[in-house]
């Protein structure tokens, strides 16, 4: 089955620790995206990548970092510099020729 | 800052009625328009996309686009309790997709 996987589903960390969220897709999609969603809010774009070894900042990139070394993988690191990291993190991908985004199941991060 | 706005909810409709969800956008250059459904605690699911002015129907869902007025809407006919969710409008802006804040829909049995 083709799809997008995110792991883990729930993640708990202490304040001051960096944490990396995994996103893998086997849809052969070119573009991948990371969003953050806070309770009762819409999706805010963190980073996106349209091709391997290239990525761009979204609207709220501060305190986050990404890499795109393989087409299938787009991991997101939440650094200790992110002031309010507790949120629901969503990874999405698109074929690259259209903007139809398909989402993974999400990772719920709690930092205490 | 390009924006996408949606009618404020929550929206409550009785089972079997038509639910109407509206969305406006600010980027006149937008060409692709999407509706996502998001159940509580889950990730968004693409349910409709529309690229041309007019109506597009898919089962009980109809998307309507008016580029001159910069609005896109979603009609859900014969609403079912299983349609109760948050509906997100999304619009492309250059090489990104901008999401609206969502409208919560509740279908009352």
């Amino acid at each position: 089955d083709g799809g997008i996987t995110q792991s883990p589903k729930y993640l708990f960390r202490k304040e001051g620790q960096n944490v990396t969220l995994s996103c893998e897709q086997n849809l052969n999609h070119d573009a991948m995206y990371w969003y953050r969603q806070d309770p009762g809010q819409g999706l805010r774009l963190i980073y996106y990548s349209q091709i391997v070894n290239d990525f761009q900042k979204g609207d709220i990139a501060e305190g986050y970092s990404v890499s795109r070394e393989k087409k299938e993988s787009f991991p997101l690191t939440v650094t200790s510099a992110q002031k309010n990291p507790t949120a629901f993190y969503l990874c999405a991908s698109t074929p690259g020729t259209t903007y139809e985004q398909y989402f993974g199941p999400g990772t719920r991060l709690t930092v205490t | 800052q390009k924006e996408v706005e949606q009618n404020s909810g929550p929206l409550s409709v009785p089972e079997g009625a038509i639910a109407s969800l509206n969305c406006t956008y600010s980027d006149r250059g937008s060409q692709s328009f999407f509706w996502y459904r998001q159940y509580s605690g889950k990730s968004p699911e693409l349910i409709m996309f529309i690229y041309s002015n007019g109506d597009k129907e898919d089962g009980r869902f109809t998307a309507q686009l008016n580029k001159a007025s910069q609005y896109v809407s979603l009609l859900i006919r014969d609403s079912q309790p299983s349609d109760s969710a948050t509906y997100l409008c999304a619009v492309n802006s250059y090489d990104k997709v901008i999401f609206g804040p969502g409208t919560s829909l509740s279908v009352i049995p």
Side-chain angles (χ1 to χ4, degrees), chain A residues 37 48 90 99-101 104, chain B residues 34 36 38 43 51 94-95:
Chain A
Q37 188 175 37
Y48 62 109
L90 290 157
Y99 291 101
E100 298 162 34
Q101 296 197 339
Chain B
F34 309 94
Y36 288 83
Q38 186 176 25
S43 61
Y51 301 137
Y94 187 50
D95 61 348

Side-chain angles (χ1 to χ4, degrees), chain A residues 14-80:
Chain A
K14 294 288 189 186
E15 199 172 307
Q17 294 179 333
N18 291 356
V19 59
T20 298
L21 282 57
S22 168
C23 178
E24 304 276 333
Q25 54 99 0
N26 60 4
L27 300 167
N28 199 34
H29 283 177
D30 291 314
M32 298 184 75
Y33 304 78
W34 274 106
Y35 293 92
R36 168 183 174 141
Q37 188 175 37
D38 294 284
Q41 306 289 315
L43 276 61
R44 291 187 289 168
L45 181 63
I46 305 173
Y47 269 98
Y48 62 109
S49 167
Q50 294 180 306
I51 57 173
V52 174
N53 293 323
D54 188 41
F55 49 83
Q56 290 76 40
K57 292 182 179 180
D59 300 318
I60 57 165
E62 186 176 346
Y64 300 97
S65 66
V66 294
S67 63
R68 186 88 187 275
E69 297 176 2
K70 298 186 299 181
K71 187 175 184 178
E72 311 80 52
S73 179
F74 190 40
L76 173 74
T77 296
V78 183
T79 76
S80 56

